Amino acid sequence: MLSKSRSSSTNENERLKALHQYNILDTPSEDKFDNITKLATLICNAPIAVIILVDETRLFLKSFIGIEDGGIPREISFSEETIKGNGVLEIPDALNDKKFKDHPMVIGKPGVRFYAGAPLLDENGFKIGVIAVFDVVVRNLTKDQKDGLVTLANETITHITLRKKSEELEAKTKRFEEMLNLSTVSPEIHCILDYSGKILFINDAVTGILGYTVEESIGLTIWNFCNKEDINRLVTTIEDGLRKKIKGFNVEFRVISKQGEVRWLSWNMVTKDGRWYTYGRDITENKRVEGELVKLSFVASKINNAVVISDANNHVTWVNDAFEKITGYTINDLKGKRLGDLIVGPKTDLELLERARVLIKQNRSFTVDLLSYRKDKQPIWLSIYNTVVLNDHGKVDMEVEIIIDITEKKKAEEELQVLSLVASKTNTGVNISDADGKTTWINQSLKKLTGYSLEELKGQELGDILSKDEAQKELILSSRAKARQSESYAIEVQAKTKANESIWLAVSNTPIINDKGEVERQIDLISDITQRKQVEQDLLESKEQALQLSEAKEMFLSVMSHEIRTPLNAVIGMTHLLIDNDPKVSQIEDLNILKFSAENLLNIINDILDFTKIETGNLELESIPLDIKGLAGDIVNSLQVNAAQKGDKLELHYDDRIPLNILGDKTRLYQILMNLIGNAIKFTDYGKIDLKIDLVSETKEEATVHFFVKDNGIGIPEDKQSYIFETFTQAKTDISRKYGGTGLGLAITKKLLKLYHSNISVNSEEGRGTEFSFDISFNKLTQDAAVSNSNEPPASFVGKKILVVDDNEINILIASRILSKWGFDLDFARNGKEAIEKVMSKTFDLIFMDIQMPGIDGFETTSIIRELNDEYFKSVPIIALTASTLQDENSKFKACGMNGHILKPFKPEEIQNIISISFSK
């Protein structure tokens, strides 16, 4: 048993080193290992057996029966778990095992349910692999079968060890033989061949083994001696090896002596400088002993299951003790006789027995369950697993039969059928039908459920009586086809009772199979699921209503956004124009008040609309190049006037280690910081406000930044801190009246940070100030994604032609005033139709397109322009002018061919920036 230290990573390296020293990975199949896997299937009565060597990350199948060689990674394999443990690992039902229920071999082909594996433990205690068996049914191994599996694991290690030692010995022998120039006194055949196989040199051993003299052999090719049936296999092995750059080979094939005698030779061959250096050993006796070993291995005399070995004529040659216990017959009773002739009786299925014998004549193995009779004439059910063993000529050499007493199992099946037939007291409807699906019996519950009596249903197919709806016909017909193929099924169908009442039924069908593999009868378990179906329908209708309400809410949000922002666009736009138009000194203060009030109203509207967008799931973060330091500086500078008016000192503390090349949503980060710093200013008089931004951590892909806003204002009572982030909530009832605000700022801030996968923390003491902090992880900007943010100077705008499409006269006026100052050549269109006509008749450098217009809206107008047949129509920049804030409109902008959008009310600098970006592309 391995010590605990052997499971460490160091000892895993030692285990792998031990494995590689055997030089067995990626080697061709070998009969001696294939014989072991074949023996494993017989001893364990399993259809699948493998010998697996566990490498660093993969499993190498040295030998396998019943599956294809597949690429199952080591980390999810049964073998990985086997070498972790001690002794045999057995999994009776893989579907109920949490480690393997999702394994590809379990959920896919071949549909493994049972597994048992024993580790291959070498002489140094390293588990280099596993010998395992699989089955597609739930089961357990007997103790003898487990012991047998461990014995086969030891035998496999013995072969591997001998193989390694044989290779080492052969290498030494080759070197020694070259030094002695292939000594002619060797009992083995030593020869040198040219590249075509012609014998250039051979020693005297050829005479003793093959009957040819040295003189007769020189000049012949090795193929002259080789059994013709082995030539193709031998050539393929050598050619495959040479393609893989293999220089040495160990092959076994039959040779024909001069006297016509067939002998087995094991050849070691090395190619060098266009020649083959080879020696062959006579292993005829070894092969005979190996055959006897297989026979002895099959004996497995200590297992509880009966074992019978018969010769090529189906005459018994040997039985084990378990057979005598099960049947009462001894080897003296059976020897020289056919097993089937002794165990038959009055009710034995002789036709089934004859079919089994035909399979033997066809060299095919089989499995049957047969009603047999003991020596004392008592009936007994036997499950017989017959394996045909072929000789070198492909003829039957022997038969090995493993026999299991399944009498109790058969009794249980019969009792189960009886219980099914008399299931008259269950609340579930039961319908028993014949092989063709025609009713033979129903219970009282089914009569009560459907209203039909047994007399009315007998000889009828139940689906034809209960469901005449054409929509259900296809489902019923496909289900019947499954039953005919011995497959169970479960369906839900709408039916009619005898009283013509609509009813939903859940039908679970199980076909009963007889010993010949044919459907004998079918059992339907039928439940009333009408109430459940009604609940499902109600849920579906509720979901549909909820979707309609959500769509209505989105539509209301879009309309409100447009209707509110459109007049605000006029107010804020005209205010900008008036301020820029050299107003009188007496008018400046009034205009600033007007601008402040309009922008404050816009902020309140933005809070409400943004909150609604977050609630409806329509808000998504942008991922564009972001200058945190520049943004924070702009925010602090813009709020210095407000802070000064309150007598506050506002400072920015910025960590210069924060990388410049990051991606984020500038608008949403601006909202978060403006909310927090704006609140700090609002609730602090003659105090200090600090915005501190520090680098927390940085990787190649992202940077995590810590934001900290602190003030020494009025603070928040401890009992109010838990709900200040709720909507329309203030810490005190007089806050809104005294300081203003909607009570949405912190609620929106918290929800925006959730989009960043971040949480905000608050630490406050009433009368002493408040601290808000949060961390955000930003993706870093890659070299390929770098975007130039440099804008063309307005002087370069002169002479560029711009078309403004908008149905609102005030919007046209504002756009005209702003754009004309920068030297643009402007044209205007009041609707989509007029815009299309102007675009087709003139060439523009850029188009501003309103979204909501009567007739053809901005989306449709843009799509029509993009579909016109000229490169100009597909490339001219089109920028959306929108008062709507719905997030899903971003996808509509891209879908119709727009290059960007600007939100009303817009600022002159925003228009200048988006024009500069469009012209720089």
Side-chain angles (χ1 to χ4, degrees):
M1 182 179 294
L2 292 179
S3 66
K4 292 184 179 179
S5 63
R6 286 214 183 273
S7 60
S8 66
S9 60
T10 300
N11 283 285
E12 170 62 7
N13 291 335
E14 293 176 0
R15 187 193 72 81
L16 291 170
K17 182 178 178 181
L19 169 63
H20 288 292
Q21 285 177 347
Y22 288 105
N23 293 322
I24 196 169
L25 292 176
D26 299 315
T27 57
S29 62
E30 299 178 47
D31 291 344
K32 52 193 172 187
F33 293 103
D34 291 344
N35 287 337
I36 292 175
T37 52
K38 185 185 297 183
L39 185 57
T41 63
L42 295 171
I43 290 177
C44 296
N45 190 22
I48 301 170
V50 292
I51 295 176
I52 295 175
L53 301 171
V54 183
D55 202 356
E56 285 88 345
T57 59
R58 60 162 183 150
L59 307 178
F60 170 60
L61 273 64
K62 177 59 182 174
S63 178
F64 52 92
I65 293 176
I67 59 169
E68 297 180 357
D69 190 359
I72 300 297
R74 170 182 168 179
E75 62 270 13
I76 65 169
S77 68
F78 290 91
S79 300
E80 176 72 6
E81 289 301 315
T82 304
I83 66 171
K84 285 181 181 178
N86 292 314
V88 175
L89 171 64
E90 184 175 22
I91 301 172
D93 188 353
L95 278 179
N96 288 326
D97 190 286
K98 62 181 181 180
K99 291 183 181 178
F100 298 107
K101 64 181 181 178
D102 295 323
H103 193 278
M105 289 179 65
V106 175
I107 62 177
K109 290 184 178 180
V112 166
R113 294 294 298 275
F114 167 77
Y115 168 82
L120 302 179
L121 195 67
D122 74 359
E123 59 187 5
N124 295 315
F126 291 110
K127 299 173 184 175
I128 65 171
V130 172
I131 181 170
V133 294
F134 298 85
D135 208 332
V136 295
V137 296
V138 177
R139 54 172 290 194
N140 290 92
L141 293 183
T142 65
K143 181 179 182 304
D144 289 336
Q145 287 174 325
K146 288 182 181 179
D147 293 343
L149 197 60
V150 172
T151 300
L152 291 178
N154 296 334
E155 184 69 14
T156 303
I157 283 293
T158 300
H159 278 302
I160 292 173
T161 304
L162 289 175
R163 184 183 182 280
K164 176 186 175 184
K165 291 179 178 178
S166 177
E167 287 180 349
E168 293 172 349
L169 181 60
E170 287 169 0
K172 293 178 180 178
T173 302
K174 289 175 187 177
R175 290 194 296 271
F176 179 73
E177 287 171 348
E178 287 182 358
M179 291 175 59
L180 296 178
N181 197 21
L182 297 174
S183 172
T184 57
V185 298
S186 172
E188 299 169 338
I189 296 177
H190 294 259
C191 58
I192 301 175
L193 314 174
D194 67 10
Y195 71 93
S196 66
K198 183 192 292 186
I199 298 173
L200 304 177
F201 169 84
I202 194 165
N203 67 341
D204 293 336
V206 68
T207 304
I209 294 175
L210 296 178
Y212 291 94
T213 65
V214 172
E215 291 74 18
E216 290 174 326
S217 302
I218 297 295
L220 298 177
T221 68
I222 196 70
W223 315 118
N224 291 120
F225 303 106
C226 186
N227 188 307
K228 296 190 181 337
E229 294 178 2
D230 293 344
I231 289 178
N232 288 338
R233 174 177 59 84
L234 181 60
V235 170
T236 300
T237 300
I238 294 174
E239 288 180 347
D240 288 345
L242 292 175
R243 276 194 294 269
K244 296 174 183 177
K245 312 250 183 245
I246 297 174
K247 299 294 185 181
F249 298 86
N250 180 268
V251 292
E252 295 177 356
F253 58 88
R254 290 166 294 180
V255 294
I256 310 298
S257 71
K258 189 174 182 180
Q259 294 76 26
E261 181 183 3
V262 178
R263 305 193 70 81
W264 274 94
L265 292 185
S266 174
W267 288 88
N268 285 282
M269 309 171 69
V270 177
T271 177
K272 185 176 181 182
D273 298 330
R275 290 191 177 188
W276 290 95
Y277 295 88
T278 173
Y279 72 91
R281 293 183 295 110
D282 187 348
I283 58 169
T284 306
E285 182 62 19
N286 291 351
K287 281 291 182 179
R288 188 191 66 77
V289 173
E290 189 176 290
E292 293 297 328
L293 259 173
V294 172
K295 293 178 184 179
L296 291 173
S297 298
F298 281 142
V299 169
S301 56
K302 291 186 179 181
I303 64 174
N304 292 328
N305 298 329
V307 178
V308 178
I309 298 179
S310 302
D311 60 20
N313 297 316
N314 196 223
H315 294 153
V316 175
T317 60
W318 187 89
V319 298
N320 68 345
D321 293 339
F323 181 83
E324 183 176 351
K325 291 178 183 178
I326 292 174
T327 68
Y329 288 104
T330 66
I331 182 62
N332 294 328
D333 297 324
L334 287 169
K335 199 164 188 177
K337 301 175 183 177
R338 296 195 302 180
L339 176 64
D341 294 340
L342 268 72
I343 63 174
V344 297
K347 295 184 179 180
T348 300
D349 189 339
L350 298 179
E351 183 182 342
L352 179 63
L353 185 63
E354 190 57 36
R355 286 204 302 268
R357 286 173 173 169
V358 169
L359 290 174
I360 295 173
K361 292 177 181 178
Q362 296 173 350
N363 298 348
R364 294 166 61 186
S365 300
F366 62 85
T367 301
V368 294
D369 291 346
L370 189 70
L371 177 60
S372 307
Y373 289 83
R374 289 171 43 87
K375 187 175 181 179
D376 58 11
K377 304 306 178 184
Q378 292 297 315
I380 184 174
W381 276 96
L382 299 178
S383 184
I384 304 172
Y385 297 79
N386 176 285
T387 298
V388 175
V389 180
L390 305 180
N391 61 21
D392 298 333
H393 303 288
K395 303 296 183 180
V396 175
D397 187 43
M398 72 174 77
E399 296 173 52
V400 178
E401 291 170 310
I402 297 178
I403 301 173
I404 303 172
D405 182 356
I406 59 169
T407 306
E408 292 302 320
K409 175 186 172 185
K410 282 293 181 179
K411 287 181 179 178
E413 289 177 356
E414 291 171 358
E415 289 173 0
L416 185 60
Q417 289 178 7
V418 172
L419 289 174
S420 300
L421 290 172
V422 298
S424 56
K425 293 185 179 181
T426 178
N427 291 327
T428 301
V430 177
N431 174 65
I432 298 179
S433 56
D434 60 19
D436 297 322
K438 291 184 170 128
T439 298
T440 59
W441 184 87
I442 66 169
N443 68 346
Q444 192 64 27
S445 294
L446 186 60
K447 179 179 178 181
K448 182 178 178 181
L449 185 62
T450 66
Y452 289 100
S453 66
L454 174 60
E455 290 71 23
E456 292 171 304
L457 295 175
K458 199 166 187 177
Q460 305 284 339
E461 292 190 82
L462 189 62
D464 294 342
I465 304 298
L466 298 182
S467 182
K468 302 187 187 313
D469 187 353
E470 289 299 322
Q472 306 286 320
K473 282 292 184 185
E474 185 176 347
L475 175 61
I476 293 173
L477 291 174
S478 65
S479 300
R480 288 173 179 170
K482 284 186 178 180
R484 285 194 292 272
Q485 296 297 322
S486 306
E487 296 180 36
S488 59
Y489 65 83
I491 60 172
E492 295 178 357
V493 293
Q494 193 170 22
K496 293 281 188 181
T497 66
K498 186 177 179 180
N500 204 34
E501 295 176 353
S502 183
I503 186 173
W504 274 95
L505 300 176
V507 182
S508 178
N509 173 282
T510 301
I512 306 300
I513 313 302
N514 62 21
D515 298 327
K516 298 177 183 178
E518 301 166 345
V519 176
E520 188 172 89
R521 64 173 63 91
Q522 301 178 44
I523 298 178
D524 296 316
L525 301 180
I526 304 171
S527 304
D528 183 357
I529 58 169
T530 306
Q531 187 175 3
R532 193 196 86 195
K533 282 291 184 179
Q534 183 60 48
V535 172
E536 290 176 355
Q537 181 63 30
D538 293 343
L539 286 173
L540 188 62
E541 292 175 358
S542 298
K543 182 179 179 182
E544 184 65 29
Q545 290 175 1
L547 289 173
Q548 292 175 0
L549 287 173
S550 177
E551 290 174 0
K553 189 174 182 180
E554 286 193 47
M555 181 58 67
F556 173 77
L557 178 63
S558 178
V559 172
M560 287 301 298
S561 174
H562 182 271
E563 294 301 324
I564 294 172
R565 289 176 181 270
T566 297
L568 269 178
N569 181 51
V571 174
I572 295 175
M574 292 303 296
T575 304
H576 278 290
L577 292 174
L578 290 172
I579 291 174
D580 291 341
N581 201 25
D582 296 327
K584 295 179 182 179
V585 175
S586 61
Q587 295 174 328
I588 292 176
E589 184 176 355
D590 295 338
L591 290 172
N592 283 328
I593 291 173
L594 177 62
K595 176 174 175 287
F596 174 78
S597 298
E599 290 180 345
N600 191 44
L601 176 59
L602 179 61
N603 288 333
I604 293 173
I605 293 168
N606 283 340
D607 280 350
I608 296 171
L609 294 177
D610 282 350
F611 181 77
T612 307
K613 284 192 293 182
I614 296 172
E615 289 295 297
T616 57
N618 286 325
L619 186 63
E620 296 179 2
L621 295 177
E622 290 186 325
S623 182
I624 60 176
L626 172 64
D627 179 5
I628 297 179
K629 184 174 185 180
L631 177 63
D634 290 344
I635 292 172
V636 170
N637 291 336
S638 67
L639 292 175
Q640 287 292 359
V641 174
N642 295 352
Q645 290 174 350
K646 298 291 293 293
D648 295 330
K649 184 177 180 182
L650 175 61
E651 293 184 354
L652 169 64
H653 307 276
Y654 189 81
D655 187 347
D656 289 326
R657 296 177 302 157
I658 298 173
L660 298 176
N661 56 333
I662 63 173
L663 297 170
D665 191 320
K666 177 180 178 181
T667 302
R668 301 310 168 195
L669 183 58
Y670 173 85
Q671 281 181 269
I672 293 168
L673 295 178
M674 283 295 288
N675 274 333
L676 295 177
I677 300 173
N679 276 352
I681 294 172
K682 183 192 298 184
F683 300 122
T684 304
D685 291 325
Y686 302 101
K688 184 179 180 184
I689 296 128
D690 291 310
L691 169 60
K692 189 175 182 182
I693 305 176
D694 293 320
L695 179 66
V696 176
S697 63
E698 181 181 5
T699 67
K700 185 177 180 181
E701 291 80 19
E702 65 177 22
T704 301
V705 180
H706 179 71
F707 297 85
F708 181 83
V709 178
K710 179 179 180 182
D711 66 66
N712 55 4
I714 64 174
I716 305 169
E718 185 175 354
D719 61 338
K720 309 296 183 186
Q721 294 177 17
S722 61
Y723 62 87
I724 59 172
F725 296 102
E726 296 179 8
T727 57
F728 305 108
T729 302
Q730 304 279 15
K732 294 183 179 180
T733 56
D734 63 342
I735 290 290
S736 181
R737 173 178 52 77
K738 184 175 180 180
Y739 295 98
T742 62
L744 286 173
L746 288 178
I748 291 173
T749 297
K750 184 172 183 178
K751 290 181 181 295
L752 288 174
L753 284 172
K754 279 190 175 181
L755 295 178
Y756 269 114
H757 306 290
S758 177
N759 290 314
I760 188 167
S761 300
V762 59
N763 182 23
S764 182
E765 184 178 347
E766 189 171 9
R768 299 181 66 87
T770 304
E771 300 173 359
F772 289 99
S773 63
F774 57 89
D775 292 344
I776 295 180
S777 294
F778 297 97
N779 289 328
K780 296 174 74 172
L781 180 66
T782 63
Q783 188 66 32
D784 294 337
V787 177
S788 173
N789 290 323
S790 62
N791 295 330
E792 289 186 76
S796 64
F797 294 169
V798 177
K800 294 290 179 72
K801 295 179 180 180
I802 292 182
L803 174 64
V804 180
V805 185
D806 201 312
D807 65 322
N808 189 293
E809 293 293 339
I810 296 177
N811 290 343
I812 290 177
L813 175 62
I814 294 171
S816 175
R817 294 275 188 89
I818 293 174
L819 297 173
S820 61
K821 291 194 306 182
W822 296 334
F824 287 113
D825 182 359
L826 302 177
D827 200 350
F828 301 92
R830 267 68 178 177
N831 54 57
K833 181 180 178 183
E834 186 179 342
I836 293 170
E837 292 173 352
K838 287 185 178 289
V839 171
M840 293 180 68
S841 60
K842 297 181 182 180
T843 300
F844 296 97
D845 296 294
L846 186 140
I847 300 171
F848 281 112
M849 181 71 68
D850 189 23
I851 296 301
Q852 296 192 15
M853 297 184 294
I856 305 175
D857 65 14
F859 294 123
E860 188 175 355
T861 301
T862 302
S863 296
I864 292 172
I865 293 173
R866 293 304 190 204
E867 290 174 1
L868 294 175
N869 190 21
D870 190 89
E871 184 60 32
Y872 157 69
F873 300 116
K874 293 176 173 55
S875 60
V876 59
I878 302 178
I879 307 299
L881 297 175
T882 179
S884 173
T885 60
L886 287 179
Q887 182 68 25
D888 63 352
E889 288 195 343
N890 286 334
S891 60
K892 290 183 181 180
F893 295 146
K894 295 179 181 178
C896 70
M898 290 182 174
N899 302 95
H901 69 279
I902 186 167
L903 191 65
K904 303 175 188 176
F906 42 73
K907 299 178 182 179
E909 58 269 21
E910 292 175 343
I911 297 178
Q912 177 185 333
N913 183 55
I914 199 166
I915 293 174
S916 297
I917 293 173
S918 297
F919 285 168
S920 66
K921 292 181 179 179

